[in-house]
């Protein structure tokens, strides 16, 4: 509880907060992460193809049917709702204290909670584009497709999720904006990430300020560098912080 009170105090004293988050910040919303004991990489071990392979660009091109079968059944959670983490961050942004959310997630829950300054390193399931004519489509249109592999109604090209697959590069402008936000923060909150996915994990090294917080259930390579380490469920912690702050 003392650590949570410290976090609340630091938030009160800060006016340039940046949150850097990963899959663990959405698990309390019912979306499984990748690398924990209950994550997708563990539960899908008996599949003929490992998830890392199915989520690669080359696999998508060669076997779009298998890709979309996995993607539709495991990666899409349209009914998921924001948890305490998403809600508090949105409130802090509304107050002008939080300047950016940098996320590795593709679920759009930060926006659903009300956040506007969201830098999506790995894209979003809510944006999809035709590989032929480049028209964009929403998630609802993709899910409503009668075909396993969604096709563009205008040119019949494959509609690809606007997410970064393995073997694909991150959007450079999003990366640069994330670096700038983290560099200029007076409080960096890192939550729900194993900090093992590169180059995203390297972004935390751009923070040289006095107050960095790491919220994660499992150990990470960043644990020794964090000024405050909390090994607990991030949604529950943020709910407690919210109550302490009265927001």
């Amino acid at each position: 509880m003392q650590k949570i009170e410290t976090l609340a105090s630091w938030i009160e004293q800060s006016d340039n907060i940046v949150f850097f988050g990963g899959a663990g910040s959405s698990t309390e919303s019912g979306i499984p992460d990748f690398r924990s004991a209950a994550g997708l990489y563990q539960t899908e071990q008996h599949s003929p193809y490992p998830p890392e392979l199915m989520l690669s660009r080359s696999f998508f091109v060669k076997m779009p049917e298998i890709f979309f079968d996995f993607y539709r059944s495991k990666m899409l959670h349209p009914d998921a709702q924001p948890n305490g983490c998403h809600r508090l961050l949105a409130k802090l942004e509304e107050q002008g204290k939080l300047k950016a959310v940098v996320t590795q997630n593709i679920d759009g829950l930060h926006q659903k909670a009300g956040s506007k300054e969201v830098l999506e390193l790995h894209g979003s399931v809510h944006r999809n584009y035709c590989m032929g004519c480049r028209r964009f489509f929403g998630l609802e249109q993709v899910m409503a497709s009668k075909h396993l592999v969604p096709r563009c109604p205008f040119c019949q090209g494959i509609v690809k999720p606007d997410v970064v697959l393995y073997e694909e590069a991150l959007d450079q402008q999003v990366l640069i904006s994330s670096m700038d936000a983290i560099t200029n923060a007076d409080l960096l909150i890192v939550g729900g990430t194993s900090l093992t996915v590169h180059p995203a994990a390297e972004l935390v090294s751009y923070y040289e300020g006095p107050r960095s917080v790491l919220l994660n259930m499992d150990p990470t390579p960043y644990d020794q560098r964090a000024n405050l380490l909390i090994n607990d469920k991030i949604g529950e912690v943020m709910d407690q912080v919210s109550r302490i702050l009265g927001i």
Side-chain angles (χ1 to χ4, degrees):
M1 193 61 198
Q2 184 178 359
K3 288 185 175 183
I4 295 174
E5 289 174 350
T6 298
L7 173 56
S9 174
W10 286 3
I11 289 173
E12 279 189 311
Q13 297 166 29
S14 303
D15 58 12
N16 190 345
I17 303 169
V18 171
F19 177 81
F20 177 88
S25 58
S26 290
T27 53
E28 288 162 271
S29 295
I31 300 178
D33 63 8
F34 292 89
R35 290 172 175 79
S36 73
L40 281 179
Y41 287 176
Q42 301 300 321
T43 58
E44 296 299 313
Q45 282 186 341
H46 301 297
S47 169
Y49 306 102
E52 298 98 317
L53 178 61
M54 286 189 282
L55 294 175
S56 68
R57 173 76 184 201
S58 54
F59 192 92
F60 169 81
V61 172
K62 292 176 184 176
M63 300 184 179
E65 292 84 3
I66 298 176
F67 169 87
F68 274 104
D69 182 55
F70 177 79
Y71 176 75
R72 284 174 178 266
S73 62
K74 302 295 183 180
M75 307 295 290
L76 299 181
H77 303 273
D79 297 325
Q81 297 299 316
N83 61 51
C85 174
H86 306 104
R87 292 192 295 267
L88 176 59
L89 294 174
K91 291 173 185 174
L92 293 175
E93 181 183 326
E94 188 177 346
Q95 291 182 347
K97 297 176 76 66
L98 184 131
K99 304 304 182 185
V101 169
V102 181
T103 180
Q104 300 173 79
N105 294 346
I106 59 175
D107 52 46
L109 286 181
H110 286 292
Q111 291 92 330
K112 202 169 188 176
S115 291
K116 295 178 176 61
E117 296 299 322
V118 183
L119 295 164
E120 296 173 309
L121 294 168
H122 297 152
S124 172
V125 299
H126 295 278
R127 297 188 304 272
N128 305 268
Y129 65 91
C130 172
M131 298 177 72
C133 66
R134 311 300 290 186
R135 283 183 172 89
F136 271 80
F137 301 91
L139 178 58
E140 298 80 8
Q141 292 167 284
V142 170
M143 294 188 69
S145 172
K146 298 178 182 178
H147 306 286
L148 177 59
V149 178
R151 294 278 179 177
C152 173
F154 300 97
C155 74
Q156 295 306 306
I158 292 178
V159 176
K160 180 188 179 295
D162 190 19
V163 299
V164 179
L165 302 176
Y166 289 106
E167 304 166 355
E168 291 182 333
L170 272 61
D171 182 292
Q172 288 303 297
Q173 189 52 58
V174 173
L175 202 54
I176 291 170
S177 297
S178 300
M179 291 176 187
D180 289 343
I182 290 172
T183 300
N184 294 316
D186 61 5
L187 171 60
L188 176 65
I189 303 174
V190 181
T193 173
S194 62
L195 293 173
T196 56
V197 178
H198 300 278
E202 294 158 11
L203 287 172
V204 295
S205 66
Y206 283 86
Y207 181 72
E208 297 181 351
R211 292 173 174 170
S212 60
V213 182
L214 179 57
L215 273 161
N216 202 58
M217 291 292 290
D218 301 315
T220 80
Y222 191 73
D223 286 7
Q224 299 303 315
R225 296 179 56 188
N227 301 119
L228 180 64
L229 178 64
I230 302 176
N231 296 122
D232 208 340
K233 291 183 177 180
I234 187 169
E236 293 182 4
V237 169
M238 294 300 222
D239 270 335
Q240 292 182 62
V241 170
S242 185
R243 285 193 289 271
I244 292 171
L245 296 175
I247 59 176

